Amino acid sequence: DAGVTQSPTHLIKTRGQHVTLRCSPISGHKSVSWYQQVLGQGPQFIFQYYEKEERGRGNFPDRFSARQFPNYSSELNVNALLLGDSALYLCASSPTGSENIQYFGAGTRLSVL
Amino acid sequence: GQSLEQPSEVTAVEGAIVQINCTYQTSGFYGLSWYQQHDGGAPTFLSYNALDGLEETGRFSSFLSRSDSYGYLLLQELQMKDSASYFCAVRDAGGNYGQNFVFGPGTRLSVLP
């Protein structure tokens, strides 16, 4: 069975641009979470979605938004990119009833120049 | 607010036992999880404690004391492949929408021959 898949794997953008990152959860998982991880630090929670509804939001500016589709895949959008948005963006999915167990994708490495 | 504390680095030799501690402060609590992350890789789930006590999974065990807001990950019979970063994480009732995931800063474990 396929794990959590994310695309693209790498992305280079310039300041002020916007970016869309995509995530497909493990088949049957309805919960998707997004994280930002800066080198040397722990993942920072951005959003959690369950059944297309936002269930959790971390301390990130409104430039960050996300949505979940009927097939439970998800997109993370970041507008007006800043240099500080350069990071590894991780997506994780969880089985229903076991939201504490998260299965992570390999991430999207975003570089903002 | 929410915060987790872990030692930044731990070093041990092959075959030894190492304990990685985690203390947390959260508003609400839905359990303590542990994740392993190798350099350049995605976090992978190791263990989860919802209730006080010890959970054992092979060479890895995890302990939780909710009254002390404290937990630890115990790694036995260390192998070179255990060299990685280890993160504790909690899901609490905080955040703007009632659910929030918080990861600790991570403990870098180096296993020496």
Side-chain angles (χ1 to χ4, degrees):
Chain A
D1 286 342
V4 176
T5 58
Q6 293 186 242
S7 63
T9 55
H10 295 85
L11 204 51
I12 299 175
K13 292 286 189 177
T14 56
R15 281 180 301 174
Q17 287 188 310
H18 72 272
V19 67
T20 298
L21 310 181
R22 295 177 174 83
C23 171
S24 293
I26 291 173
S27 178
H29 289 191
K30 299 179 180 179
S31 173
V32 171
S33 299
W34 286 95
Y35 294 85
Q36 179 194 69
Q37 187 175 29
V38 174
L39 192 63
Q41 297 182 18
Q44 298 295 310
F45 173 71
I46 309 176
F47 289 109
Q48 190 228 355
Y49 276 78
Y50 180 80
E51 288 274 23
K52 297 177 289 180
E53 288 188 5
E54 182 184 296
R55 293 290 186 89
R57 176 190 288 249
N59 189 24
F60 279 79
D62 291 343
R63 300 184 295 109
F64 289 76
S65 64
R67 55 179 176 168
Q68 187 177 32
F69 299 99
N71 67 352
Y72 306 114
S73 67
S74 179
E75 284 182 353
L76 176 70
N77 295 283
V78 186
N79 293 324
L81 285 168
L82 303 174
L83 296 179
D85 295 331
S86 296
L88 179 68
Y89 287 84
L90 295 163
C91 173
S93 72
S94 301
T96 301
S98 299
E99 282 78 12
N100 287 289
I101 302 174
Q102 300 189 73
Y103 298 86
F104 283 84
T108 294
R109 173 74 61 188
L110 173 64
S111 298
V112 182
L113 306 179
Chain B
Q2 306 109 350
S3 68
L4 289 86
E5 292 187 5
Q6 309 176 231
S8 57
E9 294 183 12
V10 173
T11 301
V13 296
E14 269 189 302
I17 300 173
V18 71
Q19 178 174 313
I20 300 174
N21 299 321
C22 174
T23 57
Y24 60 87
Q25 278 189 310
T26 63
S27 52
F29 179 76
Y30 289 99
L32 181 70
S33 304
W34 289 91
Y35 290 82
Q36 177 193 62
Q37 186 176 30
H38 288 99
D39 287 346
T44 57
F45 172 79
L46 292 177
S47 186
Y48 167 64
N49 295 69
L51 303 175
D52 292 352
L54 191 69
E55 293 284 341
E56 297 181 75
T57 309
R59 294 188 296 115
F60 295 176
S61 303
S62 59
F63 172 83
L64 175 65
S65 169
R66 288 174 295 171
S67 61
D68 295 322
S69 297
Y70 163 77
Y72 66 72
L73 179 69
L74 191 72
L75 298 85
Q76 304 181 70
E77 301 173 16
L78 281 174
Q79 302 176 8
M80 297 293 289
K81 66 179 182 179
D82 297 329
S83 292
S85 292
Y86 292 83
F87 298 93
C88 57
V90 298
R91 184 169 73 96
D92 67 14
N96 295 335
Y97 294 89
Q99 286 195 22
N100 204 354
F101 291 85
V102 184
F103 275 70
T107 298
R108 187 165 187 87
L109 171 65
S110 298
V111 180
L112 305 178

